[in-house]
Amino acid sequence: MSARDEILESIRARQLARTPKPTVYRAPPTESDPVEAFAKTLSAQYADVRLLDNMADVPAAIADILRGRNMAPMVHIAPDSELASLDLPNVEIRREPPGQFDAAVTLAPFAIAETGTLAYPSGKGAPASWHFRPVLEIAILRASSVVAELEDVLAALQNGLPSTLNLVSGPSRTGDIEQTMEVGAHGPKALAVLVVRS
Amino acid sequence: MNVDPKAFVANARAALADPQLRPALGRLKTHFGAGRAFAVHRYGDFESLRAAGKAIRDYAVTHLDELLVTFEQSVNARGGTVHWARDAAEARRLILAILQDVGAKTVTKGKSMVTEEIRLNPFLEANGIEPVETDLGEYIIQLRDEPPSHIIAPAFHLSKEQVAETFFAAHKDLDPARSLQERNALVQEARAVLRRRFEAADAGITGANFLSAKEGAAIIVTNEGNGDLTRLLPKTHIVVTGIEKVVADMNDVAVLLRLLPRSATGQAISTYVSVMAGPRGPGETDGPENFHVVLVDNGRSRLIGTEAQDVLRCIRCSACINHCPIYGAIGGHAYGATYMGPIGAALNPGTMGVANAAHHANASTFCGRCAEVCPVMIPLPRIMRHWRAVEYGQGLAPKAITRGLALWAFAAKRPALYRLGASIAARVLKMLGRGGSVRVVPIRNGWFAVRDFPVPQGTTFQQQWRARK
Ligand code: SF4
């Protein structure tokens, strides 16, 4: 017998009464406005969250974030990204994957109010590794893309799950040395989120 | 340190006498314990969430055959491959075959307790493949050639000074005069060294916190992002995990994701949650080209239908470990096994055999904290008691215990004899007692070597019972 059949047989030979599929769980509702809740929760997780009135304010905010971190005026934006046509005066745009000291600008199709989380389904123009390669990730998020909980993101994924779905709730960190949080492990040392209201 | 569960008693003695362990063990309460308590309090109705988590895991365990078959079909539909391993040796062989097939020489690894359980790293090394651990804690202990001392914080037992020593010894090409006094300097050094390894790896191996049957996805939670670089940069991604990790669908995963980080580190969510479903899709410019999942049984299916079945609900959060007074006194290495603390005590006798791991089930004060904090309501003390009964039933319990219990049973069935014995014992102990406790008990080398016996107060229970009637 193959290992597969033997394992399944071993389970079936012993399986007791099957319990029913549980009813759907509903998390306690998040208070207040979802965008505010998202911004508040993510800000508490070492992220720099800024609210902008419209897309026209994005270039100045990106330049400001780079200056604030003493970084060169240069960002990586994936080819085929919805942001590919973004015009950034005085900031150089590169198309290849960012290195470990570079900044990347990404578009978050969803965000979750409950946990202060950006949700990135992978796809054409949305390479998953870009959330982990750079030292700084600048995420652009439309306020209308903020949903209440992860279940809403799953329901909104039109074609089902992509090959990778990344949920990001702050910059990379580790508590592995003496159980004390240090920011900036393997992924970005900083996460900035520009929430655009319209 | 002896990596042998049978050496538990000697290992525990040595650990109790080790002053290096004290500061780490002190952090259980101040970091893990306090963090969990705060997160649970903030959530609000955590008990309903626990009940939901338990129901989801119970459904999964009692439908394990169906869910595994569905999972396999879903992975196939996405262009991945599922492999099945009856035991550790078979799992190692399967993983090696996948790696040899793609000509892999170096493999990055995300944190995976199942690959610890199957002793994968030494086997890969013996076969000419270099495994590189990338979770910071795992990387540190790999450099030191030690096993993990905690299931979610592998380097839990070490101080930052010990980590600095390890890095000075391992990273010979870096400036020997550099400062590694700050924790952050250590983190940055590991980031730089490991980034080169990520870029160069031929394959990546991760574990899975959950498998979602309907979508054919493996889900991992990390704070570092190492698991993602492990999956996304090399050409081949292999997920190695236990058969019991599967649940019905992503909505079930969403519920469990509310329980896991809160119970583990006190976070509402880990920095990264990654849902990994198959190789890269059409039009995608990154992600692995090959996707494999190795499902490991290794004694798990045998637990179905036994008194220990509930232990299969475990989501490996470590809350039971963090709240265990035994773990809090001796740390993780003394167990000589991959899973330590209450979860180890409930799982190991089942998967490793009672003859090997009975000590783990005996190492409990039955205070019940583990069951109180377990996010999926596993009755851990009840399962430990079950293993004790099995040990006793198989005649594996130490002679002193079986003979002592036989003697006690003989007397207990004869009330007159029992009364006489109890009142004599009470009087003798009172005579021996000094300052509230008895230090000279005849069986000093066993139970009483590390415990004082309180001096009996007043008359025996039976005498009092009769007086009140
Ligand atoms: S037994 Fe419960 S508390 Fe312990 S690791 Fe498993 S899920 Fe967590």
Side-chain angles (χ1 to χ4, degrees), chain A residues 1-15, chain B residues 64-65 68-69 72 83-87 90 93 243 295-302 304:
Chain A
M1 226 191 319
S2 71
R4 175 188 188 275
D5 294 346
E6 218 172 283
I7 292 169
L8 290 173
E9 193 42 50
S10 167
I11 296 168
R12 285 178 189 137
R14 296 176 170 87
Q15 204 140 36
Chain B
L64 197 52
D65 53 341
L68 287 170
V69 170
E72 184 184 43
H83 310 257
W84 305 70
R86 278 167 282 220
D87 55 24
E90 187 162 48
R93 277 198 308 275
I243 52 169
L295 298 173
V296 182
D297 183 343
N298 208 25
R300 288 162 171 81
S301 65
R302 274 206 308 268
I304 293 173

Side-chain angles (χ1 to χ4, degrees), chain A residues 94-113:
Chain A
R94 300 213 169 159
R95 303 292 173 189
E96 74 274 16
Q100 62 165 315
F101 303 110
D102 298 330
V105 180
T106 60
L107 179 81
F110 305 99
I112 300 168

Side-chain angles (χ1 to χ4, degrees), chain A residues 10 25 129 163 176 178 185-187, chain B residues 43 134 137 183 191 277 286 301:
Chain A
S10 167
Y25 174 81
S129 74
S163 69
D176 272 357
E178 299 181 339
H186 294 291
Chain B
Y43 188 78
T134 64
R183 274 185 291 266
R191 185 184 201 264
D286 71 358
S301 65

Side-chain angles (χ1 to χ4, degrees), chain B residues 10-326:
Chain B
N11 288 344
R13 283 228 173 85
L16 282 169
D18 181 0
Q20 286 264 31
L21 271 177
R22 296 308 116 192
L25 294 172
R27 285 192 292 271
L28 282 176
K29 228 193 205 118
T30 53
H31 291 58
F32 287 131
R36 177 195 171 275
F38 185 64
V40 165
H41 166 78
R42 280 196 51 167
Y43 188 78
D45 189 3
F46 199 68
E47 283 311 295
S48 301
L49 180 60
R50 283 177 84 207
K54 171 186 186 287
I56 285 169
R57 293 294 296 136
D58 264 338
Y59 177 86
V61 171
T62 59
H63 293 76
L64 197 52
D65 53 341
E66 286 175 14
L67 293 183
L68 287 170
V69 170
T70 307
F71 176 75
E72 184 184 43
Q73 286 164 352
S74 310
V75 171
N76 287 342
R78 289 179 174 276
T81 313
V82 173
H83 310 257
W84 305 70
R86 278 167 282 220
D87 55 24
E90 187 162 48
R92 291 191 296 259
R93 277 198 308 275
L94 283 167
I95 297 163
L96 179 65
I98 299 167
L99 293 171
Q100 284 174 338
D101 202 43
V102 295
K105 287 275 160 254
T106 73
V107 185
T108 42
K109 286 186 68 209
K111 198 173 133 21
S112 148
M113 291 309 280
V114 175
T115 62
E116 296 282 350
E117 174 187 330
I118 65 171
R119 306 260 181 278
L120 181 62
N121 287 1
F123 178 78
L124 292 183
E125 280 162 16
N127 285 280
I129 294 175
E130 188 195 4
V132 182
E133 295 290 349
T134 64
D135 169 79
L136 180 58
E138 284 284 344
Y139 177 64
I140 293 165
I141 60 165
Q142 184 184 31
L143 293 179
R144 298 172 63 93
D145 198 17
E146 289 178 0
S149 61
H150 187 284
I151 61 170
I152 68 160
F156 180 72
H157 57 294
L158 298 172
S159 66
K160 67 179 196 300
E161 289 74 22
Q162 287 171 302
V163 178
E165 271 169 41
T166 306
F167 280 12
F168 277 122
H171 304 153
K172 288 263 180 348
D173 52 333
L174 299 179
D175 179 4
R178 70 193 184 281
S179 168
L180 289 180
Q181 276 172 13
E182 302 295 326
R183 274 185 291 266
N184 203 263
L186 296 164
V187 174
Q188 293 320 312
E189 180 159 314
R191 185 184 201 264
V193 169
L194 285 169
R195 186 58 75 99
R196 293 198 292 270
R197 310 307 305 262
F198 281 123
E199 305 276 358
D202 303 307
I205 296 177
T206 67
N209 292 96
F210 307 107
L211 300 174
S212 180
K214 187 171 152 222
E215 294 85 357
I219 295 89
I220 54 169
V221 304
T222 80
N223 281 323
E224 300 180 5
N226 64 305
D228 296 280
L229 291 165
T230 300
R231 162 173 166 84
L232 296 169
L233 299 196
K235 273 200 164 153
T236 301
H237 176 204
I238 307 173
V239 176
V240 182
T241 194
I243 52 169
E244 85 287 12
K245 290 285 172 69
V246 72
V247 295
D249 54 38
M250 277 304 298
N251 282 323
D252 284 354
V253 172
V255 176
L256 296 171
L257 281 172
R258 293 185 175 95
L259 282 168
L260 176 59
R262 284 185 174 88
S263 302
T265 52
Q267 292 171 276
I269 191 168
S270 54
T271 308
Y272 302 113
V273 175
S274 306
V275 183
M276 313 177 296
R280 71 169 70 167
E284 291 194 58
T285 51
D286 71 358
E289 288 164 27
N290 314 303
F291 181 71
H292 297 270
V293 182
V294 179
L295 298 173
V296 182
D297 183 343
N298 208 25
R300 288 162 171 81
S301 65
R302 274 206 308 268
L303 299 177
I304 293 173
T306 71
E307 293 268 337
Q309 170 173 309
D310 289 344
V311 83
L312 294 174
R313 285 205 298 270
C314 176
I315 58 171
R316 302 286 192 271
C317 70
S318 84
C320 59
I321 298 173
N322 299 338
H323 292 80
C324 176
I326 305 288

Side-chain angles (χ1 to χ4, degrees), chain A residues 69-93:
Chain A
R69 307 196 64 85
N70 279 325
M71 291 179 68
M74 181 184 86
V75 297
H76 291 244
I77 297 178
D80 293 330
S81 153
E82 264 190 68
L83 297 172
S85 59
L86 192 68
D87 188 25
L88 297 176
N90 308 321
V91 174
E92 184 192 340
I93 297 178

